[in-house]
Amino acid sequence: MHYHEFFGNFGGRYVAEILRSPLEELEKGFLAAMEDVAFTSELEYHGKHFIGRPTPLLYAAEATRALGGSKIYIKLEGLANTGAHKINNALGQVLLASRLGKKRIIAETGAGQHGVATAAVCAKFGIPCRVYMGEIDMNRQRPNVFWMELFGAEVTPVYSGSKTLKDAVNEALRDWAESFSDTHYLLGSALGPSPYPDMVREFQSVIGREVKEQIGEEGLEVEAMVACVGGGSNAIGFFSPFLKFPEPRLVGVEAGGRGSGPGEHASRMNGRGRPGIVQGYKSLFLTDSDGQVLPTHSISAGLDYPGLGPQLADLGLSGRIEFTTASDSEALDALKFFAAREGIIFALESAHAAAAGMAIAGNGSRDKAVIINMSGRGDKDLVITAKALDETNWKSFLGSEAGAPEAGPPPGGAL
Ligand SMILES: *Cc1c(COP(=O)(O)O)cnc(C)c1O
């Protein structure tokens, strides 16, 4: 494993003095754990039995036939417990925290997927867990709050600032500055102050290592690998074992949203983001000329983030990773395409990778493969997807759920 701290000009550890010592302790503990077979075997054991690894690499035969180009393969991270790749990182960090003697876990969450994965792992290992979540996100993502609480986590609303993800991160950092002697802060993507970008990449690189083995088993010649990019953890984990080689093409897909103006998308590459230092790390961010973070938009809550992981920003500028975008409507079309032909439902985030993968495969040669990372499954998006694709029936269903009298004797009956 290569430990970086800086990735070209990006990365670093730009934090208040008080957080230096817990970050140094975490770095030391992490590097030692990765060298210890007892730790890596335990991670592998629970990865297999609790998460369900290895996840399959599916040959999408019908989709391939329909597009007539390269063979499409899909890495099904959506089959992991809790429905997405986030649990790979949550498991790694919880095991590391226990090893470091921490008795309590805190986390931030935006859409709630990272919070659900963290709460699930904490339930499994009997560790108290508090998840900070913006008040607006709690209202938008009520089902995920429900699951977190079912797992026994305490979900704490954040009322400051925009009441969304970045404010939840600030609140988690505030908690950690007072509690680090017995508490681990479980950050959810490959960003933040060092060592988080390296650590999260390592825990997610299980995706890429499995793919590498599966490519060998299938004897594939790979043209391109495609992943969606929010903060960047599923992408960097998927790409990680391939970075040092010139091939295959590695393609990151950002949220094109509904337009190219400020607040209409969440694409930081290709000249849209500016270098800056936000929440402890240097990278490309969607900011105004004063360095203030701009609002973003995406149909997928997980790609709707103003900052890009520092390693991806560096590899994007150096050209090893290509970046493109898919719009809200392209993502929905890709979701429909694969549901109808392959019987799988992409998460809206992953559907961005599916859309870009379809375009690359459609123009590619038949003897090569294009591998799409399905970072998550789309069950969690029912409310948004059903509203976007079938609004009338969905609204009448919601109306009947909300307004229907309890099943039982008809009104005016003997009671
Ligand atoms: C959170 C999430 C993402 C975006 O996060 P990354 O750190 O960029 O991977 C993508 N897909 C799914 C399913 C998610 O839950």
Side-chain angles (χ1 to χ4, degrees):
M1 196 210 63
H2 300 281
Y3 178 73
H4 297 84
E5 177 153 11
F6 276 92
F7 307 92
N9 286 323
F10 300 127
R13 187 178 286 169
Y14 299 88
V15 293
E17 196 60 36
I18 184 143
L19 288 175
R20 292 206 68 88
S21 81
L23 287 167
E24 280 160 15
E25 180 200 357
L26 185 58
E27 175 190 320
K28 260 201 220 108
F30 162 63
L31 292 173
M34 296 308 283
E35 296 296 317
D36 181 350
V37 181
F39 178 80
T40 52
S41 318
E42 195 185 6
L43 187 57
E44 201 180 310
Y45 178 87
H46 295 295
K48 179 172 175 190
H49 297 284
F50 179 60
I51 297 182
R53 309 212 67 86
T55 58
L57 182 67
L58 171 74
Y59 175 47
E62 283 308 310
T64 298
R65 245 193 291 282
L67 294 172
S70 305
K71 289 176 271 195
I72 297 177
Y73 282 79
I74 303 172
K75 178 64 170 166
L76 297 177
E77 278 304 291
L79 292 189
N81 184 15
T82 65
H85 69 291
K86 294 235 164 60
I87 197 162
N88 300 325
N89 171 51
L91 175 65
Q93 288 198 46
V94 165
L95 293 180
L96 178 60
S98 307
R99 183 184 159 100
L100 297 177
K102 306 297 175 185
K103 303 277 180 268
R104 172 178 175 262
I105 297 284
I106 56 172
E108 82 296 338
T109 199
Q113 293 305 111
H114 171 57
V116 169
T118 300
V121 178
C122 287
K124 162 95 177 136
F125 292 96
I127 301 177
C129 167
R130 171 182 285 187
V131 180
Y132 289 100
M133 189 170 189
E135 186 197 15
I136 289 181
D137 288 334
M138 279 183 75
N139 292 332
R140 282 195 293 214
Q141 308 288 342
R142 184 50 57 181
N144 278 338
V145 176
F146 176 80
W147 295 132
M148 285 185 265
E149 289 176 344
L150 190 70
F151 285 133
E154 180 189 353
V155 184
T156 302
V158 176
Y159 299 106
S160 56
S162 59
K163 306 181 177 62
T164 60
L165 177 59
K166 74 175 170 51
D167 313 291
V169 173
N170 289 339
E171 210 48 47
L173 286 169
R174 209 163 291 151
D175 180 320
W176 204 38
E178 291 167 4
S179 63
F180 58 76
S181 61
D182 72 345
T183 297
H184 174 67
Y185 175 24
L186 206 166
L187 206 152
S189 192
L191 42 70
S194 172
Y196 286 103
D198 282 295
M199 188 165 69
V200 177
R201 181 200 61 241
E202 282 311 299
F203 291 142
Q204 292 294 359
S205 69
V206 65
I207 308 172
R209 290 197 305 273
E210 286 175 9
V211 167
K212 199 163 182 198
E213 208 172 305
Q214 289 162 328
I215 288 172
E217 285 163 9
E218 299 273 316
L220 303 178
E221 197 181 329
V222 181
E223 164 72 26
M225 295 176 58
V226 190
C228 67
V229 181
S233 67
N234 87 89
I236 198 72
F238 181 54
F239 296 154
S240 172
F242 304 88
L243 292 171
K244 58 176 184 276
F245 307 108
E247 288 178 333
R249 284 172 65 191
L250 304 175
V251 183
V253 187
E254 297 184 299
R258 57 189 171 212
S260 56
E264 300 282 284
H265 63 87
S267 165
R268 291 105 348 152
M269 287 302 297
N270 299 324
R272 293 192 182 89
R274 298 168 199 259
I277 296 172
V278 178
Q279 290 180 328
Y281 68 108
K282 190 171 177 194
S283 190
L284 295 173
F285 296 88
L286 290 171
T287 52
D288 64 17
S289 52
D290 291 334
Q292 293 300 308
V293 172
L294 289 168
T296 54
H297 164 80
S298 170
I299 191 169
S300 66
L303 302 188
D304 189 355
Y305 188 68
L308 177 61
Q311 190 171 12
L312 283 177
D314 180 52
L315 290 163
L317 294 186
S318 77
R320 178 63 191 100
I321 299 180
E322 301 165 45
F323 277 85
T324 183
T325 59
S327 68
D328 289 353
S329 63
E330 287 166 335
L332 279 170
D333 287 347
L335 185 151
K336 283 197 283 186
F337 178 87
F338 283 102
R341 282 168 189 79
E342 299 294 338
I344 55 174
I345 306 167
F346 275 80
L348 283 169
E349 292 83 3
S350 329
H352 289 69
M358 284 168 68
I360 294 168
N363 294 319
S365 75
R366 287 175 185 230
D367 49 1
K368 294 201 171 174
V370 170
I371 306 179
I372 298 166
N373 192 31
M374 186 176 108
S375 52
R377 61 175 183 251
D379 313 36
K380 69 180 178 63
D381 302 317
L382 175 66
V383 177
I384 299 164
T385 309
K387 188 172 175 220
L389 299 180
D390 187 16
E391 184 160 7
T392 313
N393 284 321
W394 178 246
K395 284 200 165 153
S396 92
F397 164 73
L398 288 182
S400 69
E401 277 295 298
E406 291 297 314
L415 292 178

